[in-house]
Amino acid sequence: MNGKRIGATYPKRAKGLVKNGRAEYASDCEKCTIRMLDTHKPTVDVTEVNNMGKVIDFDPRDFKADKSCENNVIAKYFVTDKDGENVIAYSIGNWNWDWTQICCDKKLEKNTDYVFRFVIVGGYCNTCNETSRFEIVPMPDGSFTDEAYEDRYTYDLAQNRYKPVLCKKTDEGMLRLFEIPFSTFDCEDFRFVFIAMHAVATLYAPKEFSAYADLEDTNFDQLRDEINSKNSEDNSANVVMDFTGAHVTRSTVTDLLTMARFGKSENVCIDFTGAFIEDDKPDDIQADADDTGSDDIAVELMDVADN
């Protein structure tokens, strides 16, 4: 308003203000910023905008391992991000089945709407059976009780079951920025919890949308296609042919050896253990194991292994 920043609001509220003609987007390419319209200034309650827009950004320094979990797997460290800034990364979970939780307690204003923002990189696995959650626990009595935990808000981040506001591709993996709206109602004590199991998730403090504009958009469908494509390539690079105890003609053996040498597959294993190498012409006499022909075949097989 009048060029001054009066507060922040969450996306749904911003869309409502624009839709009702009370605000407009500051620019077409930056729809995270809105401008209150002067023609409607008398109807705008600045207190309302501020109350609707209290934003809490994830801060790795606020979170600690939940002592109620015996197998927490966590690591907190500095990294240099793509913008050259040194930031704190908070890694939770592993590829095993160790249930990991980190938590943070905050005192908030009653009857106020908030948005909790965070960035998560990873937090998924190829088998799609990971656990990745964010929980908000109201604590009316000021302490974490079983009753309070029953009334928690749970957001399932696995496989984007709860949709992020943006999803980008990075060298580390898929980057997702979440904005979680919630209301405090008549409670002021809250606990925020991140949970991970069977997947490694790295949490970062979020930046403005514009900081991620140069990253390529992606989603889980694209990720699955890339994983499946890579698996197909890996499988095609390893060919195993089992001819144990089989009756194989010499021409077939020659063709197999040629394919192994000049084919696209990088690793070829042909098992002729106990196989009977037969002549192509039925009238020919089968060579025994000491014949020169059999030795030639053995030499060719050794050549394939060496290559």
Side-chain angles (χ1 to χ4, degrees), residues 212-230:
Y212 309 102
D214 60 337
L215 295 175
E216 181 182 349
D217 291 331
T218 189
N219 54 53
F220 265 101
D221 290 335
Q222 293 180 14
L223 179 67
R224 292 189 192 96
D225 290 342
E226 291 174 4
I227 292 174
N228 292 336
S229 176
K230 185 178 184 303

Side-chain angles (χ1 to χ4, degrees), residues 53-223:
K54 291 188 177 297
V55 176
I56 305 172
D57 284 342
F58 170 78
D59 188 338
R61 295 168 295 185
D62 294 340
F63 282 78
K64 294 179 174 56
D66 190 337
K67 295 181 180 180
S68 65
C69 294
E70 298 180 355
N71 299 316
N72 280 319
V73 181
I74 64 171
K76 194 184 297 187
Y77 45 86
F78 282 97
V79 297
T80 303
D81 65 13
K82 67 179 186 64
D83 299 321
E85 298 180 7
N86 295 327
V87 298
I88 301 176
Y90 206 144
S91 174
I92 62 173
N94 59 14
W95 299 110
N96 297 322
W97 300 98
D98 296 309
W99 186 278
T100 296
Q101 286 187 191
I102 61 173
C103 59
C104 166
D105 293 347
K106 287 185 178 293
K107 189 174 289 290
L108 308 178
E109 296 181 16
K110 294 183 178 181
N111 301 308
T112 304
D113 291 318
Y114 283 85
V115 177
F116 192 97
R117 303 175 71 243
F118 61 91
V119 164
I120 182 171
V121 176
Y124 54 84
C125 69
N126 298 351
T127 52
C128 302
N129 58 348
E130 73 276 13
T131 297
S132 181
R133 296 179 194 162
F134 173 64
E135 296 182 343
I136 302 175
V137 186
M139 300 184 293
D141 298 329
S143 59
F144 188 79
T145 62
D146 290 341
E147 183 178 354
Y149 190 66
E150 287 296 323
D151 294 331
R152 71 193 183 279
Y153 311 140
T154 299
Y155 305 86
D156 192 351
L157 311 180
Q159 307 297 313
N160 276 4
R161 294 189 182 97
Y162 187 90
K163 300 299 181 185
V165 295
L166 63 78
C167 195
K168 297 286 186 175
K169 184 183 296 185
T170 71
D171 293 338
E172 296 180 73
M174 182 185 292
L175 178 151
R176 293 172 287 164
L177 190 153
F178 288 91
E179 293 185 344
I180 311 291
F182 68 100
S183 180
T184 57
F185 297 104
D186 195 33
C187 182
E188 60 181 2
D189 293 298
F190 285 81
R191 175 168 293 186
F192 300 91
V193 184
F194 286 96
I195 300 171
M197 182 178 70
H198 199 45
V200 178
T202 306
L203 297 160
Y204 296 92
K207 298 184 178 183
E208 295 298 328
F209 281 17
S210 58
Y212 309 102
D214 60 337
L215 295 175
E216 181 182 349
D217 291 331
T218 189
N219 54 53
F220 265 101
D221 290 335
Q222 293 180 14
L223 179 67

